[in-house]
Amino acid sequence: LDIRSDVYQLGLLLKELTQELNPPKDVKHILFYAIQKNIDDRYSSVNQLKGDIENFLSSRPLERKKSIPVYVFRKYVERNRIAFSTVVIAFLAVVVSTYIYIDRITKANQEIQNEKVLAEGSLNRFLRIFEQAYPANSKGDTLTVYDLLAIGDSLSSQSNNSLVNGRFSLLVGD
């Protein structure tokens, strides 16, 4: 008989006190090591048992579970809920803000690309019209503005891009 017999008796008493409460895992863990049949597997002193009970009550890791990183982290979070929640919320805010920023930049770039396609299409149409008016291409014929507009109209009917056709019509109208 030694002090570990007292640990065993305290463990049995604790088990009786918590039996109807459906104790948490840490309490079950404390009980498990307090009432081990093999005396070498028990807490070696009442102070060790007391230390683990105090650790449990203050949401600190139990001595025999300090080597489990996930468990230690969970205990840290339990003790620092507000700080941890603040960090998580700040992190999520940064992630969401970054996503929104990237989404807006992507949409803006897409709009720029769409405008570029429309501008290039309209410019190409005008260049093709004015190429027809160039004396070497017109074979000496004099082309009127009406002739140039007719050429532009025929080019519009050949194009399948309604946005470029609409942009070209607006530019001609202006």
Side-chain angles (χ1 to χ4, degrees):
L1 295 177
D2 64 8
I3 196 72
R4 291 176 288 189
S5 299
D6 293 337
V7 169
Y8 183 82
Q9 291 301 318
L10 286 172
L12 288 178
L13 179 62
L14 184 60
K15 183 177 181 182
E16 285 297 319
L17 291 172
T18 60
Q19 197 164 16
E20 294 180 19
L21 300 176
N22 193 17
K25 286 183 181 179
D26 279 353
V27 173
K28 289 179 182 177
H29 186 83
I30 292 169
L31 292 173
F32 177 78
Y33 284 105
I35 60 173
Q36 283 292 305
K37 294 294 180 198
N38 184 350
I39 200 164
D40 294 328
D41 293 336
R42 289 184 208 146
Y43 289 103
S44 60
S45 70
V46 174
N47 282 337
Q48 274 189 336
L49 174 61
K50 178 184 172 208
D52 264 357
I53 292 171
E54 288 172 347
N55 286 341
F56 167 73
L57 294 173
S58 62
S59 294
R60 298 204 177 282
L62 302 180
E63 280 302 316
R64 293 189 187 212
K65 293 177 85 175
K66 282 188 175 178
S67 63
I68 305 170
V70 173
Y71 170 77
V72 172
F73 179 73
R74 193 184 81 218
K75 287 297 184 178
Y76 175 80
V77 170
E78 283 179 23
R79 285 191 317 274
N80 300 288
R81 289 178 197 267
I82 294 173
F84 186 76
S85 298
T86 303
V87 168
V88 168
I89 289 169
F91 176 75
L92 290 176
V94 168
V95 168
V96 169
S97 298
T98 302
Y99 173 79
I100 290 170
Y101 176 75
I102 290 171
D103 186 56
R104 286 183 180 171
I105 293 293
T106 303
K107 286 179 181 176
N109 284 338
Q110 186 60 46
E111 288 177 19
I112 289 169
Q113 291 302 315
N114 291 343
E115 277 299 314
K116 181 181 175 188
V117 168
L118 292 174
E120 287 175 349
S122 299
L123 177 63
N124 288 338
R125 178 114 6 114
F126 274 113
L127 290 175
R128 288 175 64 194
I129 290 170
F130 286 113
E131 284 174 358
Q132 298 294 323
Y134 187 70
N137 294 336
S138 65
K139 300 178 183 138
D141 294 339
T142 303
L143 296 174
T144 65
V145 170
Y146 180 79
D147 294 330
L148 293 175
L149 290 174
I151 292 169
D153 190 44
S154 86
L155 289 173
S156 291
S157 64
Q158 295 171 8
S159 173
N160 62 356
N161 190 333
S162 60
L163 290 175
V164 172
N165 290 340
R167 176 66 60 92
F168 178 76
S169 297
L170 283 173
L171 290 172
V172 169
D174 287 347

PDB file of all heavy atoms in Angstrom, residues 52-86:
ATOM      1  N   ASP A  52      -4.384  17.400 -12.724  1.00  0.00           N
ATOM      2  CA  ASP A  52      -5.219  17.143 -13.899  1.00  0.00           C
ATOM      3  C   ASP A  52      -6.649  17.646 -13.693  1.00  0.00           C
ATOM      4  O   ASP A  52      -7.277  18.124 -14.631  1.00  0.00           O
ATOM      5  CB  ASP A  52      -5.205  15.656 -14.270  1.00  0.00           C
ATOM      6  CG  ASP A  52      -4.188  15.347 -15.362  1.00  0.00           C
ATOM      7  OD1 ASP A  52      -3.537  16.293 -15.871  1.00  0.00           O
ATOM      8  OD2 ASP A  52      -4.051  14.157 -15.710  1.00  0.00           O
ATOM      9  N   ILE A  53      -7.163  17.527 -12.475  1.00  0.00           N
ATOM     10  CA  ILE A  53      -8.509  18.066 -12.200  1.00  0.00           C
ATOM     11  C   ILE A  53      -8.486  19.585 -12.380  1.00  0.00           C
ATOM     12  O   ILE A  53      -9.382  20.161 -13.005  1.00  0.00           O
ATOM     13  CB  ILE A  53      -8.994  17.657 -10.794  1.00  0.00           C
ATOM     14  CG1 ILE A  53      -9.249  16.145 -10.752  1.00  0.00           C
ATOM     15  CG2 ILE A  53     -10.261  18.429 -10.415  1.00  0.00           C
ATOM     16  CD1 ILE A  53      -9.527  15.591  -9.365  1.00  0.00           C
ATOM     17  N   GLU A  54      -7.431  20.240 -11.894  1.00  0.00           N
ATOM     18  CA  GLU A  54      -7.308  21.698 -12.065  1.00  0.00           C
ATOM     19  C   GLU A  54      -7.134  22.053 -13.543  1.00  0.00           C
ATOM     20  O   GLU A  54      -7.694  23.045 -14.019  1.00  0.00           O
ATOM     21  CB  GLU A  54      -6.146  22.235 -11.229  1.00  0.00           C
ATOM     22  CG  GLU A  54      -6.443  22.241  -9.745  1.00  0.00           C
ATOM     23  CD  GLU A  54      -5.232  22.587  -8.886  1.00  0.00           C
ATOM     24  OE1 GLU A  54      -4.080  22.588  -9.401  1.00  0.00           O
ATOM     25  OE2 GLU A  54      -5.437  22.850  -7.687  1.00  0.00           O
ATOM     26  N   ASN A  55      -6.368  21.258 -14.249  1.00  0.00           N
ATOM     27  CA  ASN A  55      -6.205  21.482 -15.693  1.00  0.00           C
ATOM     28  C   ASN A  55      -7.556  21.391 -16.403  1.00  0.00           C
ATOM     29  O   ASN A  55      -7.881  22.216 -17.255  1.00  0.00           O
ATOM     30  CB  ASN A  55      -5.227  20.470 -16.304  1.00  0.00           C
ATOM     31  CG  ASN A  55      -3.792  20.774 -15.945  1.00  0.00           C
ATOM     32  OD1 ASN A  55      -3.453  21.886 -15.544  1.00  0.00           O
ATOM     33  ND2 ASN A  55      -2.938  19.780 -16.078  1.00  0.00           N
ATOM     34  N   PHE A  56      -8.319  20.379 -16.048  1.00  0.00           N
ATOM     35  CA  PHE A  56      -9.649  20.227 -16.651  1.00  0.00           C
ATOM     36  C   PHE A  56     -10.527  21.444 -16.355  1.00  0.00           C
ATOM     37  O   PHE A  56     -11.160  21.986 -17.254  1.00  0.00           O
ATOM     38  CB  PHE A  56     -10.338  18.953 -16.143  1.00  0.00           C
ATOM     39  CG  PHE A  56     -11.795  18.914 -16.469  1.00  0.00           C
ATOM     40  CD1 PHE A  56     -12.224  18.683 -17.759  1.00  0.00           C
ATOM     41  CD2 PHE A  56     -12.758  19.136 -15.480  1.00  0.00           C
ATOM     42  CE1 PHE A  56     -13.580  18.664 -18.066  1.00  0.00           C
ATOM     43  CE2 PHE A  56     -14.106  19.121 -15.774  1.00  0.00           C
ATOM     44  CZ  PHE A  56     -14.520  18.885 -17.074  1.00  0.00           C
ATOM     45  N   LEU A  57     -10.545  21.862 -15.112  1.00  0.00           N
ATOM     46  CA  LEU A  57     -11.406  22.986 -14.718  1.00  0.00           C
ATOM     47  C   LEU A  57     -10.977  24.306 -15.373  1.00  0.00           C
ATOM     48  O   LEU A  57     -11.808  25.190 -15.580  1.00  0.00           O
ATOM     49  CB  LEU A  57     -11.431  23.138 -13.192  1.00  0.00           C
ATOM     50  CG  LEU A  57     -12.096  21.986 -12.431  1.00  0.00           C
ATOM     51  CD1 LEU A  57     -11.912  22.152 -10.930  1.00  0.00           C
ATOM     52  CD2 LEU A  57     -13.574  21.878 -12.800  1.00  0.00           C
ATOM     53  N   SER A  58      -9.699  24.441 -15.712  1.00  0.00           N
ATOM     54  CA  SER A  58      -9.226  25.681 -16.340  1.00  0.00           C
ATOM     55  C   SER A  58      -9.020  25.524 -17.846  1.00  0.00           C
ATOM     56  O   SER A  58      -8.376  26.356 -18.481  1.00  0.00           O
ATOM     57  CB  SER A  58      -7.927  26.140 -15.677  1.00  0.00           C
ATOM     58  OG  SER A  58      -6.917  25.172 -15.869  1.00  0.00           O
ATOM     59  N   SER A  59      -9.569  24.457 -18.432  1.00  0.00           N
ATOM     60  CA  SER A  59      -9.471  24.172 -19.875  1.00  0.00           C
ATOM     61  C   SER A  59      -8.032  24.081 -20.352  1.00  0.00           C
ATOM     62  O   SER A  59      -7.689  24.523 -21.450  1.00  0.00           O
ATOM     63  CB  SER A  59     -10.229  25.227 -20.689  1.00  0.00           C
ATOM     64  OG  SER A  59     -11.596  25.140 -20.444  1.00  0.00           O
ATOM     65  N   ARG A  60      -7.195  23.514 -19.537  1.00  0.00           N
ATOM     66  CA  ARG A  60      -5.801  23.271 -19.915  1.00  0.00           C
ATOM     67  C   ARG A  60      -5.647  21.786 -20.249  1.00  0.00           C
ATOM     68  O   ARG A  60      -6.425  20.948 -19.770  1.00  0.00           O
ATOM     69  CB  ARG A  60      -4.855  23.661 -18.782  1.00  0.00           C
ATOM     70  CG  ARG A  60      -4.929  25.136 -18.451  1.00  0.00           C
ATOM     71  CD  ARG A  60      -3.655  25.612 -17.786  1.00  0.00           C
ATOM     72  NE  ARG A  60      -3.693  27.034 -17.522  1.00  0.00           N
ATOM     73  CZ  ARG A  60      -3.485  27.977 -18.437  1.00  0.00           C
ATOM     74  NH1 ARG A  60      -3.241  27.652 -19.669  1.00  0.00           N
ATOM     75  NH2 ARG A  60      -3.531  29.251 -18.115  1.00  0.00           N
ATOM     76  N   PRO A  61      -4.641  21.422 -21.026  1.00  0.00           N
ATOM     77  CA  PRO A  61      -4.467  20.015 -21.388  1.00  0.00           C
ATOM     78  C   PRO A  61      -4.091  19.159 -20.179  1.00  0.00           C
ATOM     79  O   PRO A  61      -3.348  19.599 -19.306  1.00  0.00           O
ATOM     80  CB  PRO A  61      -3.304  20.025 -22.395  1.00  0.00           C
ATOM     81  CG  PRO A  61      -2.945  21.429 -22.626  1.00  0.00           C
ATOM     82  CD  PRO A  61      -3.691  22.298 -21.682  1.00  0.00           C
ATOM     83  N   LEU A  62      -4.620  17.950 -20.148  1.00  0.00           N
ATOM     84  CA  LEU A  62      -4.255  16.998 -19.104  1.00  0.00           C
ATOM     85  C   LEU A  62      -2.807  16.556 -19.339  1.00  0.00           C
ATOM     86  O   LEU A  62      -2.335  16.518 -20.468  1.00  0.00           O
ATOM     87  CB  LEU A  62      -5.188  15.788 -19.139  1.00  0.00           C
ATOM     88  CG  LEU A  62      -6.688  16.074 -18.972  1.00  0.00           C
ATOM     89  CD1 LEU A  62      -7.477  14.781 -19.028  1.00  0.00           C
ATOM     90  CD2 LEU A  62      -6.964  16.830 -17.688  1.00  0.00           C
ATOM     91  N   GLU A  63      -2.113  16.235 -18.273  1.00  0.00           N
ATOM     92  CA  GLU A  63      -0.681  15.893 -18.361  1.00  0.00           C
ATOM     93  C   GLU A  63      -0.411  14.764 -19.356  1.00  0.00           C
ATOM     94  O   GLU A  63       0.503  14.845 -20.144  1.00  0.00           O
ATOM     95  CB  GLU A  63      -0.139  15.503 -16.980  1.00  0.00           C
ATOM     96  CG  GLU A  63       0.198  16.658 -16.088  1.00  0.00           C
ATOM     97  CD  GLU A  63       1.223  17.622 -16.685  1.00  0.00           C
ATOM     98  OE1 GLU A  63       2.237  17.165 -17.266  1.00  0.00           O
ATOM     99  OE2 GLU A  63       0.997  18.837 -16.570  1.00  0.00           O
ATOM    100  N   ARG A  64      -1.200  13.715 -19.286  1.00  0.00           N
ATOM    101  CA  ARG A  64      -0.929  12.544 -20.128  1.00  0.00           C
ATOM    102  C   ARG A  64      -1.391  12.745 -21.580  1.00  0.00           C
ATOM    103  O   ARG A  64      -1.167  11.868 -22.404  1.00  0.00           O
ATOM    104  CB  ARG A  64      -1.599  11.305 -19.532  1.00  0.00           C
ATOM    105  CG  ARG A  64      -0.968  10.909 -18.204  1.00  0.00           C
ATOM    106  CD  ARG A  64      -1.481   9.592 -17.735  1.00  0.00           C
ATOM    107  NE  ARG A  64      -0.982   9.316 -16.396  1.00  0.00           N
ATOM    108  CZ  ARG A  64      -0.723   8.109 -15.955  1.00  0.00           C
ATOM    109  NH1 ARG A  64      -0.943   7.071 -16.714  1.00  0.00           N
ATOM    110  NH2 ARG A  64      -0.275   7.937 -14.734  1.00  0.00           N
ATOM    111  N   LYS A  65      -2.015  13.889 -21.888  1.00  0.00           N
ATOM    112  CA  LYS A  65      -2.478  14.140 -23.253  1.00  0.00           C
ATOM    113  C   LYS A  65      -1.759  15.336 -23.887  1.00  0.00           C
ATOM    114  O   LYS A  65      -2.119  15.755 -24.976  1.00  0.00           O
ATOM    115  CB  LYS A  65      -3.991  14.379 -23.245  1.00  0.00           C
ATOM    116  CG  LYS A  65      -4.782  13.132 -22.853  1.00  0.00           C
ATOM    117  CD  LYS A  65      -6.258  13.404 -22.782  1.00  0.00           C
ATOM    118  CE  LYS A  65      -6.894  13.265 -24.132  1.00  0.00           C
ATOM    119  NZ  LYS A  65      -8.360  13.408 -24.073  1.00  0.00           N
ATOM    120  N   LYS A  66      -0.726  15.856 -23.220  1.00  0.00           N
ATOM    121  CA  LYS A  66      -0.009  17.024 -23.744  1.00  0.00           C
ATOM    122  C   LYS A  66       0.773  16.730 -25.017  1.00  0.00           C
ATOM    123  O   LYS A  66       1.187  17.635 -25.708  1.00  0.00           O
ATOM    124  CB  LYS A  66       0.933  17.592 -22.679  1.00  0.00           C
ATOM    125  CG  LYS A  66       0.210  18.413 -21.648  1.00  0.00           C
ATOM    126  CD  LYS A  66       1.181  19.104 -20.729  1.00  0.00           C
ATOM    127  CE  LYS A  66       0.412  20.021 -19.788  1.00  0.00           C
ATOM    128  NZ  LYS A  66       1.281  20.692 -18.840  1.00  0.00           N
ATOM    129  N   SER A  67       0.956  15.480 -25.338  1.00  0.00           N
ATOM    130  CA  SER A  67       1.709  15.115 -26.541  1.00  0.00           C
ATOM    131  C   SER A  67       0.817  15.040 -27.785  1.00  0.00           C
ATOM    132  O   SER A  67       1.302  14.750 -28.871  1.00  0.00           O
ATOM    133  CB  SER A  67       2.413  13.780 -26.331  1.00  0.00           C
ATOM    134  OG  SER A  67       1.459  12.753 -26.124  1.00  0.00           O
ATOM    135  N   ILE A  68      -0.474  15.328 -27.627  1.00  0.00           N
ATOM    136  CA  ILE A  68      -1.411  15.257 -28.759  1.00  0.00           C
ATOM    137  C   ILE A  68      -1.682  16.692 -29.231  1.00  0.00           C
ATOM    138  O   ILE A  68      -2.442  17.430 -28.592  1.00  0.00           O
ATOM    139  CB  ILE A  68      -2.724  14.556 -28.351  1.00  0.00           C
ATOM    140  CG1 ILE A  68      -2.423  13.179 -27.749  1.00  0.00           C
ATOM    141  CG2 ILE A  68      -3.670  14.453 -29.529  1.00  0.00           C
ATOM    142  CD1 ILE A  68      -3.623  12.515 -27.091  1.00  0.00           C
ATOM    143  N   PRO A  69      -1.064  17.116 -30.348  1.00  0.00           N
ATOM    144  CA  PRO A  69      -1.170  18.515 -30.793  1.00  0.00           C
ATOM    145  C   PRO A  69      -2.602  19.010 -31.012  1.00  0.00           C
ATOM    146  O   PRO A  69      -2.933  20.128 -30.631  1.00  0.00           O
ATOM    147  CB  PRO A  69      -0.381  18.546 -32.104  1.00  0.00           C
ATOM    148  CG  PRO A  69       0.527  17.365 -32.041  1.00  0.00           C
ATOM    149  CD  PRO A  69      -0.180  16.347 -31.212  1.00  0.00           C
ATOM    150  N   VAL A  70      -3.446  18.197 -31.611  1.00  0.00           N
ATOM    151  CA  VAL A  70      -4.826  18.626 -31.870  1.00  0.00           C
ATOM    152  C   VAL A  70      -5.563  18.876 -30.558  1.00  0.00           C
ATOM    153  O   VAL A  70      -6.303  19.853 -30.420  1.00  0.00           O
ATOM    154  CB  VAL A  70      -5.566  17.576 -32.735  1.00  0.00           C
ATOM    155  CG1 VAL A  70      -7.036  17.910 -32.865  1.00  0.00           C
ATOM    156  CG2 VAL A  70      -4.910  17.454 -34.099  1.00  0.00           C
ATOM    157  N   TYR A  71      -5.336  18.008 -29.611  1.00  0.00           N
ATOM    158  CA  TYR A  71      -5.964  18.153 -28.289  1.00  0.00           C
ATOM    159  C   TYR A  71      -5.473  19.426 -27.599  1.00  0.00           C
ATOM    160  O   TYR A  71      -6.263  20.199 -27.065  1.00  0.00           O
ATOM    161  CB  TYR A  71      -5.649  16.919 -27.437  1.00  0.00           C
ATOM    162  CG  TYR A  71      -6.026  17.049 -25.989  1.00  0.00           C
ATOM    163  CD1 TYR A  71      -7.347  16.931 -25.577  1.00  0.00           C
ATOM    164  CD2 TYR A  71      -5.053  17.306 -25.027  1.00  0.00           C
ATOM    165  CE1 TYR A  71      -7.692  17.051 -24.244  1.00  0.00           C
ATOM    166  CE2 TYR A  71      -5.384  17.429 -23.691  1.00  0.00           C
ATOM    167  CZ  TYR A  71      -6.713  17.302 -23.304  1.00  0.00           C
ATOM    168  OH  TYR A  71      -7.048  17.437 -21.983  1.00  0.00           O
ATOM    169  N   VAL A  72      -4.174  19.666 -27.619  1.00  0.00           N
ATOM    170  CA  VAL A  72      -3.601  20.862 -26.988  1.00  0.00           C
ATOM    171  C   VAL A  72      -4.150  22.114 -27.661  1.00  0.00           C
ATOM    172  O   VAL A  72      -4.517  23.090 -26.991  1.00  0.00           O
ATOM    173  CB  VAL A  72      -2.054  20.820 -27.042  1.00  0.00           C
ATOM    174  CG1 VAL A  72      -1.448  22.124 -26.568  1.00  0.00           C
ATOM    175  CG2 VAL A  72      -1.531  19.651 -26.209  1.00  0.00           C
ATOM    176  N   PHE A  73      -4.246  22.098 -28.995  1.00  0.00           N
ATOM    177  CA  PHE A  73      -4.792  23.240 -29.722  1.00  0.00           C
ATOM    178  C   PHE A  73      -6.259  23.473 -29.340  1.00  0.00           C
ATOM    179  O   PHE A  73      -6.681  24.607 -29.123  1.00  0.00           O
ATOM    180  CB  PHE A  73      -4.665  23.023 -31.238  1.00  0.00           C
ATOM    181  CG  PHE A  73      -5.239  24.143 -32.052  1.00  0.00           C
ATOM    182  CD1 PHE A  73      -4.608  25.369 -32.137  1.00  0.00           C
ATOM    183  CD2 PHE A  73      -6.447  23.975 -32.728  1.00  0.00           C
ATOM    184  CE1 PHE A  73      -5.136  26.404 -32.874  1.00  0.00           C
ATOM    185  CE2 PHE A  73      -6.987  25.005 -33.468  1.00  0.00           C
ATOM    186  CZ  PHE A  73      -6.330  26.218 -33.550  1.00  0.00           C
ATOM    187  N   ARG A  74      -7.046  22.400 -29.277  1.00  0.00           N
ATOM    188  CA  ARG A  74      -8.454  22.530 -28.891  1.00  0.00           C
ATOM    189  C   ARG A  74      -8.595  23.153 -27.509  1.00  0.00           C
ATOM    190  O   ARG A  74      -9.429  24.019 -27.269  1.00  0.00           O
ATOM    191  CB  ARG A  74      -9.135  21.157 -28.926  1.00  0.00           C
ATOM    192  CG  ARG A  74     -10.664  21.277 -28.855  1.00  0.00           C
ATOM    193  CD  ARG A  74     -11.344  19.939 -28.803  1.00  0.00           C
ATOM    194  NE  ARG A  74     -11.255  19.513 -27.412  1.00  0.00           N
ATOM    195  CZ  ARG A  74     -11.039  18.274 -26.998  1.00  0.00           C
ATOM    196  NH1 ARG A  74     -10.879  17.312 -27.861  1.00  0.00           N
ATOM    197  NH2 ARG A  74     -10.981  17.986 -25.730  1.00  0.00           N
ATOM    198  N   LYS A  75      -7.733  22.748 -26.579  1.00  0.00           N
ATOM    199  CA  LYS A  75      -7.758  23.326 -25.227  1.00  0.00           C
ATOM    200  C   LYS A  75      -7.385  24.810 -25.274  1.00  0.00           C
ATOM    201  O   LYS A  75      -7.962  25.623 -24.560  1.00  0.00           O
ATOM    202  CB  LYS A  75      -6.816  22.567 -24.286  1.00  0.00           C
ATOM    203  CG  LYS A  75      -7.338  21.207 -23.904  1.00  0.00           C
ATOM    204  CD  LYS A  75      -8.629  21.369 -23.150  1.00  0.00           C
ATOM    205  CE  LYS A  75      -9.184  20.092 -22.632  1.00  0.00           C
ATOM    206  NZ  LYS A  75     -10.413  20.288 -21.873  1.00  0.00           N
ATOM    207  N   TYR A  76      -6.414  25.149 -26.105  1.00  0.00           N
ATOM    208  CA  TYR A  76      -6.022  26.556 -26.252  1.00  0.00           C
ATOM    209  C   TYR A  76      -7.212  27.378 -26.763  1.00  0.00           C
ATOM    210  O   TYR A  76      -7.491  28.469 -26.260  1.00  0.00           O
ATOM    211  CB  TYR A  76      -4.837  26.687 -27.212  1.00  0.00           C
ATOM    212  CG  TYR A  76      -4.468  28.111 -27.498  1.00  0.00           C
ATOM    213  CD1 TYR A  76      -3.702  28.840 -26.595  1.00  0.00           C
ATOM    214  CD2 TYR A  76      -4.914  28.748 -28.649  1.00  0.00           C
ATOM    215  CE1 TYR A  76      -3.382  30.157 -26.830  1.00  0.00           C
ATOM    216  CE2 TYR A  76      -4.605  30.068 -28.896  1.00  0.00           C
ATOM    217  CZ  TYR A  76      -3.837  30.769 -27.985  1.00  0.00           C
ATOM    218  OH  TYR A  76      -3.541  32.072 -28.226  1.00  0.00           O
ATOM    219  N   VAL A  77      -7.911  26.850 -27.748  1.00  0.00           N
ATOM    220  CA  VAL A  77      -9.077  27.546 -28.304  1.00  0.00           C
ATOM    221  C   VAL A  77     -10.162  27.695 -27.238  1.00  0.00           C
ATOM    222  O   VAL A  77     -10.789  28.750 -27.123  1.00  0.00           O
ATOM    223  CB  VAL A  77      -9.619  26.817 -29.552  1.00  0.00           C
ATOM    224  CG1 VAL A  77     -10.961  27.372 -29.990  1.00  0.00           C
ATOM    225  CG2 VAL A  77      -8.610  26.906 -30.685  1.00  0.00           C
ATOM    226  N   GLU A  78     -10.392  26.656 -26.441  1.00  0.00           N
ATOM    227  CA  GLU A  78     -11.386  26.732 -25.363  1.00  0.00           C
ATOM    228  C   GLU A  78     -11.051  27.853 -24.382  1.00  0.00           C
ATOM    229  O   GLU A  78     -11.942  28.574 -23.926  1.00  0.00           O
ATOM    230  CB  GLU A  78     -11.455  25.409 -24.587  1.00  0.00           C
ATOM    231  CG  GLU A  78     -12.210  24.310 -25.288  1.00  0.00           C
ATOM    232  CD  GLU A  78     -12.225  23.017 -24.470  1.00  0.00           C
ATOM    233  OE1 GLU A  78     -12.053  23.070 -23.238  1.00  0.00           O
ATOM    234  OE2 GLU A  78     -12.399  21.948 -25.082  1.00  0.00           O
ATOM    235  N   ARG A  79      -9.773  28.018 -24.073  1.00  0.00           N
ATOM    236  CA  ARG A  79      -9.371  29.061 -23.119  1.00  0.00           C
ATOM    237  C   ARG A  79      -9.401  30.455 -23.745  1.00  0.00           C
ATOM    238  O   ARG A  79      -9.533  31.450 -23.047  1.00  0.00           O
ATOM    239  CB  ARG A  79      -7.944  28.811 -22.616  1.00  0.00           C
ATOM    240  CG  ARG A  79      -7.811  27.702 -21.637  1.00  0.00           C
ATOM    241  CD  ARG A  79      -6.439  27.679 -20.972  1.00  0.00           C
ATOM    242  NE  ARG A  79      -5.311  27.911 -21.845  1.00  0.00           N
ATOM    243  CZ  ARG A  79      -4.677  26.976 -22.565  1.00  0.00           C
ATOM    244  NH1 ARG A  79      -5.113  25.732 -22.527  1.00  0.00           N
ATOM    245  NH2 ARG A  79      -3.635  27.271 -23.302  1.00  0.00           N
ATOM    246  N   ASN A  80      -9.262  30.542 -25.040  1.00  0.00           N
ATOM    247  CA  ASN A  80      -9.130  31.838 -25.722  1.00  0.00           C
ATOM    248  C   ASN A  80     -10.181  31.984 -26.816  1.00  0.00           C
ATOM    249  O   ASN A  80      -9.871  32.373 -27.942  1.00  0.00           O
ATOM    250  CB  ASN A  80      -7.718  31.957 -26.320  1.00  0.00           C
ATOM    251  CG  ASN A  80      -6.654  31.868 -25.272  1.00  0.00           C
ATOM    252  OD1 ASN A  80      -6.480  32.779 -24.492  1.00  0.00           O
ATOM    253  ND2 ASN A  80      -5.955  30.735 -25.229  1.00  0.00           N
ATOM    254  N   ARG A  81     -11.417  31.690 -26.496  1.00  0.00           N
ATOM    255  CA  ARG A  81     -12.485  31.710 -27.495  1.00  0.00           C
ATOM    256  C   ARG A  81     -12.629  33.059 -28.189  1.00  0.00           C
ATOM    257  O   ARG A  81     -12.741  33.119 -29.409  1.00  0.00           O
ATOM    258  CB  ARG A  81     -13.826  31.337 -26.850  1.00  0.00           C
ATOM    259  CG  ARG A  81     -13.942  29.899 -26.466  1.00  0.00           C
ATOM    260  CD  ARG A  81     -15.300  29.634 -25.796  1.00  0.00           C
ATOM    261  NE  ARG A  81     -15.293  28.383 -25.079  1.00  0.00           N
ATOM    262  CZ  ARG A  81     -15.696  27.226 -25.590  1.00  0.00           C
ATOM    263  NH1 ARG A  81     -16.126  27.181 -26.806  1.00  0.00           N
ATOM    264  NH2 ARG A  81     -15.652  26.127 -24.868  1.00  0.00           N
ATOM    265  N   ILE A  82     -12.623  34.133 -27.421  1.00  0.00           N
ATOM    266  CA  ILE A  82     -12.837  35.461 -28.009  1.00  0.00           C
ATOM    267  C   ILE A  82     -11.686  35.826 -28.939  1.00  0.00           C
ATOM    268  O   ILE A  82     -11.907  36.251 -30.076  1.00  0.00           O
ATOM    269  CB  ILE A  82     -13.039  36.525 -26.912  1.00  0.00           C
ATOM    270  CG1 ILE A  82     -14.342  36.234 -26.160  1.00  0.00           C
ATOM    271  CG2 ILE A  82     -13.053  37.934 -27.495  1.00  0.00           C
ATOM    272  CD1 ILE A  82     -14.568  37.108 -24.953  1.00  0.00           C
ATOM    273  N   ALA A  83     -10.469  35.640 -28.479  1.00  0.00           N
ATOM    274  CA  ALA A  83      -9.308  35.966 -29.317  1.00  0.00           C
ATOM    275  C   ALA A  83      -9.286  35.093 -30.567  1.00  0.00           C
ATOM    276  O   ALA A  83      -9.054  35.583 -31.680  1.00  0.00           O
ATOM    277  CB  ALA A  83      -8.016  35.792 -28.525  1.00  0.00           C
ATOM    278  N   PHE A  84      -9.543  33.802 -30.385  1.00  0.00           N
ATOM    279  CA  PHE A  84      -9.537  32.896 -31.529  1.00  0.00           C
ATOM    280  C   PHE A  84     -10.650  33.248 -32.512  1.00  0.00           C
ATOM    281  O   PHE A  84     -10.434  33.273 -33.723  1.00  0.00           O
ATOM    282  CB  PHE A  84      -9.670  31.447 -31.063  1.00  0.00           C
ATOM    283  CG  PHE A  84      -9.530  30.453 -32.174  1.00  0.00           C
ATOM    284  CD1 PHE A  84      -8.287  30.155 -32.694  1.00  0.00           C
ATOM    285  CD2 PHE A  84     -10.651  29.827 -32.705  1.00  0.00           C
ATOM    286  CE1 PHE A  84      -8.157  29.243 -33.728  1.00  0.00           C
ATOM    287  CE2 PHE A  84     -10.528  28.919 -33.731  1.00  0.00           C
ATOM    288  CZ  PHE A  84      -9.273  28.622 -34.243  1.00  0.00           C
ATOM    289  N   SER A  85     -11.835  33.558 -31.994  1.00  0.00           N
ATOM    290  CA  SER A  85     -12.954  33.951 -32.863  1.00  0.00           C
ATOM    291  C   SER A  85     -12.614  35.216 -33.632  1.00  0.00           C
ATOM    292  O   SER A  85     -12.921  35.328 -34.824  1.00  0.00           O
ATOM    293  CB  SER A  85     -14.220  34.173 -32.039  1.00  0.00           C
ATOM    294  OG  SER A  85     -14.602  32.986 -31.402  1.00  0.00           O
ATOM    295  N   THR A  86     -11.968  36.163 -32.962  1.00  0.00           N
ATOM    296  CA  THR A  86     -11.577  37.409 -33.620  1.00  0.00           C
ATOM    297  C   THR A  86     -10.597  37.131 -34.756  1.00  0.00           C
ATOM    298  O   THR A  86     -10.734  37.684 -35.857  1.00  0.00           O
ATOM    299  CB  THR A  86     -10.946  38.377 -32.599  1.00  0.00           C
ATOM    300  OG1 THR A  86     -11.888  38.609 -31.550  1.00  0.00           O
ATOM    301  CG2 THR A  86     -10.561  39.684 -33.235  1.00  0.00           C
TER     302      THR A  86
END
